[in-house]
Amino acid sequence: HLYEESKKAEELYRSLIHSSADAIVIYDIEGKARYVSPAFTRIFGWSMEEVQGKRIPFVPESEREGTMAIIRELVDHGTPCHGFETKRHTKDGRTLDVSISASRYEDHEGKPAGILVILRDISERKKLEAQFYEAQKMESVGTLAGGVAHDFNNLLMAIQGNVSLLLLDTPSRDPGFKRLRNIEKQVQRGAYLTRQLLGFARGGKYEIKLTDINKIVQRSADLFSRMKKEIKIHSTFEPDIWMVEADQGQMEQVLMNLYVNAGHAMPNGGDLFITTENVVLSGDEGALLHLKQGRHVKISVADTGVGMDSGIIPKIFDPFFTTHQVGTGLGLASAYGIVKNHGGSITVKSARGKGSTFEIYLPAAEKEATPSRPRTDTDSEMAPGGETVLLADDEGMVIEVGREMLQRLGYTVLTAMTGREAIETYRAHKALIDLVILDMIMPDMTGMETYDRLKKEDPNIIVLLSSGYSIDGQASEILRQGCNGFIQKPFTMAALSRKVREVLGKTNGQG
């Protein structure tokens, strides 16, 4: 009867161990396996027959020391361990992240007889944690980059404004004229750098238009091939490509950054394959790319360059990470930020000596395109005016040059340095003011609040937004609310003059 009881108890314990979802190993005191559970075989690959009476060869070199210390503590002093995170190999050569709990068990005389080890595969959790930290890191560096770019753009604005005003008074044969033009060129280079930073910081998508991606790809590829004659470009376009809603300037920036990256990988020339296609993602495919299922436009950019080691691939979208001697390391980071900001995804496949392929997925637009009017402006064309403008900005330097630029263009200018002041000035001179140029970032209230309050004062108010950035997409939100236009600092006098005319609806007598 006693025998029956103990047999039943043994079967119960065996079935409990057998049914565990975590892997269970029972070792003797020498560290040789006496039993492995079915879950162990499923997770690590070795069967009971292969390891019974042997040591299991699954501790990586890097983990040996830590593991041995825990085992010694356990065997000598009986100290159990809980949730010890380490790594273990599988039979087929993969390495898994595992969490281990272990305890010593005694024989019927109360002497240590062996160790019971429970292993849980935590690879998936580790992967999710890594993704989460990565996202947080990108987020915080993005916020920093956006803030730097915003302040930097205000500085550039002051320099650009003063140069624009000096150029007005300097005849082109004057020796100083060329120097001023040079300064202007450097301001534009500075502005390009801050655009890269803002792209990474996922600053605003400013001018969202229904876009035929084929045209953008074609235009940027043509430009690149003029710069890099030694690279042969092969493009394959989906003839009826779906439209996407995109900021065309930013999308060109993304593509140029990818082409330039490919150029670095092929210093002695090579082939660049660019394709576009319509794809419909299933739920699972979408989940892998962190996208919703449904219609997307896919752009692939593949090169025949040197390729990348697997160690580099996870870092390539990090800001300031670069494997080249030249460049800022911002190109791919800004491409990543812009694509994410458009609700899309960017991935890379690469191997050393095999070239690299970047794939961009953008959600297809729901609505159909309306043809847009071609832009015919040249850079230096001035469009004067005579209306009254309220200029609201919290930077004294920007107010100073902005006022003078507008006055030189023929406008009467009122100024305000806070949101509150802007509202009071507008209230006092409502009948006179034809246009408000509003900076997005004000010390006392956000651009959004200021805009809303102005709109309450006068539903027909005409507002031109101006900003060094729009980190939280506020600009696009205000534009959606019916704001009349957006101008990115730093701007030239010519650009300001055209934008003001366009917003006032009297450009070239149209409106």
Side-chain angles (χ1 to χ4, degrees), residues 291-307:
L291 296 174
K292 293 193 176 83
Q293 63 185 59
R295 302 186 327 146
H296 286 75
V297 170
K298 176 178 165 190
I299 310 160
S300 304
V301 177
D303 63 56
T304 54
V306 292

Side-chain angles (χ1 to χ4, degrees), residues 21 52 63 78 159 187-188 191-192 200 226 306 341 372 396 406-407 440 466:
Q52 203 165 18
E63 307 299 311
I159 299 169
V187 169
Q188 291 314 312
Y192 177 72
F200 168 65
R226 286 202 291 278
V306 292
N341 199 34
S372 60
L406 287 162
Q407 283 170 342
M440 280 289 309
S466 122

